[in-house]
Structure formats: structure tokens, C-alpha cells
mmCIF file of all heavy atoms in Angstrom:
data_model
loop_
_atom_site.group_PDB
_atom_site.id
_atom_site.type_symbol
_atom_site.label_atom_id
_atom_site.label_comp_id
_atom_site.label_asym_id
_atom_site.label_seq_id
_atom_site.Cartn_x
_atom_site.Cartn_y
_atom_site.Cartn_z
ATOM 1 N N THR X 1 0.841 -1.199 0.000
ATOM 2 C CA THR X 1 0.000 0.000 0.000
ATOM 3 C C THR X 1 0.874 1.246 0.000
ATOM 4 O O THR X 1 1.847 1.328 0.738
ATOM 5 C CB THR X 1 -0.917 0.018 1.245
ATOM 6 O OG1 THR X 1 -1.694 -1.169 1.265
ATOM 7 C CG2 THR X 1 -1.838 1.234 1.232
ATOM 8 N N ASP X 2 0.520 2.215 -0.858
ATOM 9 C CA ASP X 2 1.207 3.499 -0.885
ATOM 10 C C ASP X 2 0.382 4.528 -0.129
ATOM 11 O O ASP X 2 -0.845 4.589 -0.285
ATOM 12 C CB ASP X 2 1.405 3.983 -2.324
ATOM 13 C CG ASP X 2 2.493 3.212 -3.049
ATOM 14 O OD1 ASP X 2 3.294 2.521 -2.378
ATOM 15 O OD2 ASP X 2 2.542 3.306 -4.283
ATOM 16 N N TYR X 3 1.054 5.318 0.684
ATOM 17 C CA TYR X 3 0.412 6.365 1.478
ATOM 18 C C TYR X 3 0.989 7.707 1.045
ATOM 19 O O TYR X 3 2.182 7.956 1.220
ATOM 20 C CB TYR X 3 0.675 6.146 2.973
ATOM 21 C CG TYR X 3 0.157 4.824 3.479
ATOM 22 C CD1 TYR X 3 0.954 3.686 3.473
ATOM 23 C CD2 TYR X 3 -1.143 4.710 3.966
ATOM 24 C CE1 TYR X 3 0.484 2.466 3.932
ATOM 25 C CE2 TYR X 3 -1.630 3.497 4.427
ATOM 26 C CZ TYR X 3 -0.811 2.383 4.409
ATOM 27 O OH TYR X 3 -1.280 1.178 4.862
ATOM 28 N N GLN X 4 0.138 8.563 0.444
ATOM 29 C CA GLN X 4 0.553 9.900 0.038
ATOM 30 C C GLN X 4 0.751 10.723 1.310
ATOM 31 O O GLN X 4 -0.120 10.731 2.176
ATOM 32 C CB GLN X 4 -0.508 10.555 -0.840
ATOM 33 C CG GLN X 4 -0.936 9.735 -2.042
ATOM 34 C CD GLN X 4 0.222 9.357 -2.942
ATOM 35 O OE1 GLN X 4 1.048 10.180 -3.278
ATOM 36 N NE2 GLN X 4 0.278 8.095 -3.327
ATOM 37 N N GLU X 5 1.885 11.408 1.407
ATOM 38 C CA GLU X 5 2.202 12.181 2.608
ATOM 39 C C GLU X 5 2.702 13.565 2.200
ATOM 40 O O GLU X 5 3.324 13.729 1.153
ATOM 41 C CB GLU X 5 3.279 11.481 3.436
ATOM 42 C CG GLU X 5 2.912 10.086 3.897
ATOM 43 C CD GLU X 5 1.884 10.047 5.003
ATOM 44 O OE1 GLU X 5 1.828 11.003 5.811
ATOM 45 O OE2 GLU X 5 1.136 9.062 5.067
ATOM 46 N N TRP X 6 2.455 14.524 3.067
ATOM 47 C CA TRP X 6 2.842 15.897 2.812
ATOM 48 C C TRP X 6 3.129 16.565 4.146
ATOM 49 O O TRP X 6 2.329 16.463 5.083
ATOM 50 C CB TRP X 6 1.702 16.594 2.085
ATOM 51 C CG TRP X 6 1.909 18.027 1.802
ATOM 52 C CD1 TRP X 6 2.524 18.566 0.712
ATOM 53 C CD2 TRP X 6 1.514 19.125 2.622
ATOM 54 N NE1 TRP X 6 2.522 19.927 0.803
ATOM 55 C CE2 TRP X 6 1.911 20.291 1.966
ATOM 56 C CE3 TRP X 6 0.869 19.228 3.837
ATOM 57 C CZ2 TRP X 6 1.686 21.546 2.491
ATOM 58 C CZ3 TRP X 6 0.637 20.474 4.370
ATOM 59 C CH2 TRP X 6 1.048 21.622 3.689
ATOM 60 N N ILE X 7 4.269 17.195 4.248
ATOM 61 C CA ILE X 7 4.649 17.924 5.457
ATOM 62 C C ILE X 7 5.073 19.317 5.045
ATOM 63 O O ILE X 7 5.789 19.488 4.057
ATOM 64 C CB ILE X 7 5.820 17.217 6.190
ATOM 65 C CG1 ILE X 7 5.313 15.944 6.889
ATOM 66 C CG2 ILE X 7 6.506 18.150 7.183
ATOM 67 C CD1 ILE X 7 6.408 15.108 7.538
ATOM 68 N N THR X 8 4.619 20.313 5.811
ATOM 69 C CA THR X 8 5.180 21.652 5.668
ATOM 70 C C THR X 8 5.805 22.018 7.005
ATOM 71 O O THR X 8 5.234 21.779 8.064
ATOM 72 C CB THR X 8 4.136 22.698 5.222
ATOM 73 O OG1 THR X 8 4.808 23.933 4.961
ATOM 74 C CG2 THR X 8 3.058 22.935 6.238
ATOM 75 N N TRP X 9 7.011 22.542 6.929
ATOM 76 C CA TRP X 9 7.750 22.935 8.128
ATOM 77 C C TRP X 9 7.265 24.321 8.535
ATOM 78 O O TRP X 9 7.298 25.253 7.737
ATOM 79 C CB TRP X 9 9.250 22.958 7.842
ATOM 80 C CG TRP X 9 9.730 21.774 7.055
ATOM 81 C CD1 TRP X 9 10.059 21.747 5.726
ATOM 82 C CD2 TRP X 9 9.904 20.436 7.514
ATOM 83 N NE1 TRP X 9 10.436 20.475 5.357
ATOM 84 C CE2 TRP X 9 10.354 19.647 6.441
ATOM 85 C CE3 TRP X 9 9.734 19.812 8.756
ATOM 86 C CZ2 TRP X 9 10.632 18.290 6.550
ATOM 87 C CZ3 TRP X 9 10.008 18.458 8.868
ATOM 88 C CH2 TRP X 9 10.455 17.713 7.780
ATOM 89 N N THR X 10 6.816 24.485 9.773
ATOM 90 C CA THR X 10 6.287 25.772 10.216
ATOM 91 C C THR X 10 7.269 26.534 11.094
ATOM 92 O O THR X 10 7.187 27.757 11.199
ATOM 93 C CB THR X 10 4.955 25.593 10.967
ATOM 94 O OG1 THR X 10 5.140 24.702 12.062
ATOM 95 C CG2 THR X 10 3.888 25.049 10.019
ATOM 96 N N GLU X 11 8.194 25.804 11.729
ATOM 97 C CA GLU X 11 9.207 26.450 12.562
ATOM 98 C C GLU X 11 10.409 25.517 12.655
ATOM 99 O O GLU X 11 10.251 24.311 12.862
ATOM 100 C CB GLU X 11 8.655 26.720 13.963
ATOM 101 C CG GLU X 11 9.649 27.365 14.896
ATOM 102 C CD GLU X 11 9.135 27.489 16.327
ATOM 103 O OE1 GLU X 11 8.288 26.694 16.745
ATOM 104 O OE2 GLU X 11 9.625 28.398 17.022
ATOM 105 N N ILE X 12 11.605 26.079 12.506
ATOM 106 C CA ILE X 12 12.832 25.307 12.624
ATOM 107 C C ILE X 12 13.795 26.108 13.488
ATOM 108 O O ILE X 12 14.142 27.244 13.142
ATOM 109 C CB ILE X 12 13.452 25.026 11.239
ATOM 110 C CG1 ILE X 12 12.471 24.231 10.372
ATOM 111 C CG2 ILE X 12 14.782 24.289 11.396
ATOM 112 C CD1 ILE X 12 12.866 24.123 8.913
ATOM 113 N N VAL X 13 14.183 25.537 14.614
ATOM 114 C CA VAL X 13 15.121 26.172 15.529
ATOM 115 C C VAL X 13 16.257 25.185 15.801
ATOM 116 O O VAL X 13 16.193 24.383 16.726
ATOM 117 C CB VAL X 13 14.435 26.577 16.858
ATOM 118 C CG1 VAL X 13 15.423 27.312 17.761
ATOM 119 C CG2 VAL X 13 13.189 27.403 16.619
ATOM 120 N N PRO X 14 17.299 25.194 14.936
ATOM 121 C CA PRO X 14 18.388 24.225 15.095
ATOM 122 C C PRO X 14 19.159 24.441 16.394
ATOM 123 O O PRO X 14 19.418 25.601 16.724
ATOM 124 C CB PRO X 14 19.287 24.493 13.897
ATOM 125 C CG PRO X 14 18.497 25.355 12.961
ATOM 126 C CD PRO X 14 17.488 26.071 13.797
ATOM 127 N N PRO X 15 19.583 23.437 17.091
ATOM 128 C CA PRO X 15 19.190 22.031 16.965
ATOM 129 C C PRO X 15 18.121 21.643 17.990
ATOM 130 O O PRO X 15 18.094 20.519 18.479
ATOM 131 C CB PRO X 15 20.511 21.310 17.282
ATOM 132 C CG PRO X 15 21.110 22.174 18.377
ATOM 133 C CD PRO X 15 20.710 23.596 18.024
ATOM 134 N N ASP X 16 17.241 22.596 18.342
ATOM 135 C CA ASP X 16 16.303 22.409 19.447
ATOM 136 C C ASP X 16 14.922 21.893 19.071
ATOM 137 O O ASP X 16 14.342 21.102 19.810
ATOM 138 C CB ASP X 16 16.088 23.743 20.191
ATOM 139 C CG ASP X 16 17.362 24.311 20.760
ATOM 140 O OD1 ASP X 16 18.142 23.550 21.344
ATOM 141 O OD2 ASP X 16 17.584 25.531 20.593
ATOM 142 N N ARG X 17 14.382 22.376 17.944
ATOM 143 C CA ARG X 17 12.950 22.183 17.728
ATOM 144 C C ARG X 17 12.596 22.254 16.247
ATOM 145 O O ARG X 17 13.156 23.056 15.508
ATOM 146 C CB ARG X 17 12.257 23.289 18.517
ATOM 147 C CG ARG X 17 10.831 23.510 18.327
ATOM 148 C CD ARG X 17 10.446 24.768 19.144
ATOM 149 N NE ARG X 17 9.126 25.179 18.867
ATOM 150 C CZ ARG X 17 8.062 24.841 19.590
ATOM 151 N NH1 ARG X 17 8.198 24.110 20.659
ATOM 152 N NH2 ARG X 17 6.868 25.251 19.253
ATOM 153 N N ILE X 18 11.629 21.414 15.875
ATOM 154 C CA ILE X 18 11.041 21.459 14.541
ATOM 155 C C ILE X 18 9.527 21.378 14.727
ATOM 156 O O ILE X 18 9.046 20.487 15.416
ATOM 157 C CB ILE X 18 11.499 20.281 13.659
ATOM 158 C CG1 ILE X 18 13.017 20.292 13.460
ATOM 159 C CG2 ILE X 18 10.774 20.303 12.311
ATOM 160 C CD1 ILE X 18 13.558 19.048 12.773
ATOM 161 N N ALA X 19 8.795 22.315 14.118
ATOM 162 C CA ALA X 19 7.336 22.259 14.124
ATOM 163 C C ALA X 19 6.879 22.074 12.684
ATOM 164 O O ALA X 19 7.511 22.593 11.748
ATOM 165 C CB ALA X 19 6.742 23.539 14.720
ATOM 166 N N LEU X 20 5.796 21.320 12.518
ATOM 167 C CA LEU X 20 5.337 21.001 11.177
ATOM 168 C C LEU X 20 3.850 20.697 11.162
ATOM 169 O O LEU X 20 3.237 20.475 12.199
ATOM 170 C CB LEU X 20 6.124 19.805 10.627
ATOM 171 C CG LEU X 20 6.085 18.510 11.458
ATOM 172 C CD1 LEU X 20 5.019 17.554 10.975
ATOM 173 C CD2 LEU X 20 7.444 17.832 11.393
ATOM 174 N N VAL X 21 3.290 20.694 9.970
ATOM 175 C CA VAL X 21 1.929 20.229 9.726
ATOM 176 C C VAL X 21 2.057 19.037 8.788
ATOM 177 O O VAL X 21 2.764 19.098 7.786
ATOM 178 C CB VAL X 21 1.042 21.327 9.094
ATOM 179 C CG1 VAL X 21 -0.344 20.780 8.760
ATOM 180 C CG2 VAL X 21 0.936 22.525 10.034
ATOM 181 N N HIS X 22 1.345 17.925 9.134
ATOM 182 C CA HIS X 22 1.492 16.661 8.402
ATOM 183 C C HIS X 22 0.111 16.175 7.978
ATOM 184 O O HIS X 22 -0.785 16.047 8.793
ATOM 185 C CB HIS X 22 2.142 15.636 9.339
ATOM 186 C CG HIS X 22 2.503 14.354 8.674
ATOM 187 N ND1 HIS X 22 3.415 13.503 9.226
ATOM 188 C CD2 HIS X 22 2.096 13.753 7.530
ATOM 189 C CE1 HIS X 22 3.557 12.431 8.452
ATOM 190 N NE2 HIS X 22 2.753 12.577 7.417
ATOM 191 N N GLY X 23 -0.027 15.919 6.690
ATOM 192 C CA GLY X 23 -1.276 15.398 6.149
ATOM 193 C C GLY X 23 -1.008 14.620 4.878
ATOM 194 O O GLY X 23 0.141 14.306 4.557
ATOM 195 N N GLU X 24 -2.076 14.325 4.158
ATOM 196 C CA GLU X 24 -1.929 13.627 2.881
ATOM 197 C C GLU X 24 -1.642 14.588 1.741
ATOM 198 O O GLU X 24 -1.092 14.187 0.723
ATOM 199 C CB GLU X 24 -3.197 12.821 2.581
ATOM 200 C CG GLU X 24 -3.408 11.667 3.538
ATOM 201 C CD GLU X 24 -4.664 10.872 3.236
ATOM 202 O OE1 GLU X 24 -5.380 11.205 2.264
ATOM 203 O OE2 GLU X 24 -4.932 9.921 3.976
ATOM 204 N N SER X 25 -2.041 15.849 1.915
ATOM 205 C CA SER X 25 -1.838 16.869 0.890
ATOM 206 C C SER X 25 -1.926 18.241 1.543
ATOM 207 O O SER X 25 -2.318 18.357 2.713
ATOM 208 C CB SER X 25 -2.908 16.748 -0.206
ATOM 209 O OG SER X 25 -4.192 17.002 0.345
#
């Protein structure tokens, strides 16, 4: 089975934190 995935990075604070939104599109 293939699962379509999509992530957009909303905040990146190296090397402490990554925030994102994850969905199919």
C-alpha cells in the first residue's frame, strides 16, 4: 500500500525544535 504524505515545516530552531503540519496533501 502506498500512502501519500505531505509535510510543511512551520518552525525550525536548530538544533532544538522542529514544528510542522502533516497530512496527505
Side-chain angles (χ1 to χ4, degrees):
T1 303
D2 286 344
Y3 300 90
Q4 307 304 313
E5 301 287 330
W6 177 87
I7 286 175
T8 187
W9 316 104
T10 56
E11 179 186 27
I12 300 169
V13 183
D16 301 316
R17 170 185 171 95
I18 299 171
L20 57 95
V21 176
H22 187 161
E24 293 180 1
S25 64

